[in-house]
Amino acid sequence: MSRLFFKYYLDTAFYNVLFCILFARVFNIFECVVLFGTFGTFVSFLIYRQFQNIEYYFYRNGGLSKFNLQAKTVIINLSLAFIAGCLLWIIRYR
């Protein structure tokens, strides 16, 4: 994967983490991890589109489509949430 993709991933992950921190008071840590991997990812796409929509042209010029960027981000976030969820479950029920 390219540096260009990781720039996009870090930008969307920033919004995703902020969204999860916002709801950290309502949910426990396990639910925040699930929120990060599922709903938070799509919320971060909406926030990114609202504030940085013009940058999609920058990624398009770099050879990355919007679908490609978002699909890879979803896969990475789901993988990270699954691994973190498994670790939290092992720690809790060990």
Side-chain angles (χ1 to χ4, degrees):
M1 289 191 229
S2 66
R3 287 185 185 187
L4 197 57
F5 169 73
F6 282 114
K7 182 195 177 316
Y8 176 79
Y9 180 76
L10 290 176
D11 288 344
T12 56
F14 174 74
Y15 294 128
N16 196 352
V17 168
L18 287 179
F19 178 74
C20 292
I21 289 172
L22 180 69
F23 285 99
R25 294 289 231 183
V26 179
F27 301 119
N28 63 23
I29 186 96
F30 184 76
E31 291 170 341
C32 284
V33 167
V34 172
L35 186 68
F36 177 82
T38 56
F39 187 67
T41 303
F42 298 107
V43 169
S44 69
F45 292 156
L46 291 173
I47 294 171
Y48 189 85
R49 182 175 169 214
Q50 181 69 30
F51 294 113
Q52 296 173 314
N53 192 29
I54 196 74
E55 288 191 19
Y56 281 119
Y57 292 114
F58 173 70
Y59 296 112
R60 175 58 101 181
N61 287 337
L64 297 170
S65 68
K66 184 176 177 181
F67 176 78
N68 189 354
L69 291 167
Q70 290 179 346
K72 287 180 182 179
T73 302
V74 168
I75 290 169
I76 290 172
N77 284 349
L78 284 175
S79 301
L80 289 175
F82 179 75
I83 291 168
C86 288
L87 290 174
L88 287 172
W89 186 79
I90 288 170
I91 290 170
R92 180 181 288 174
Y93 296 109
R94 185 172 181 206

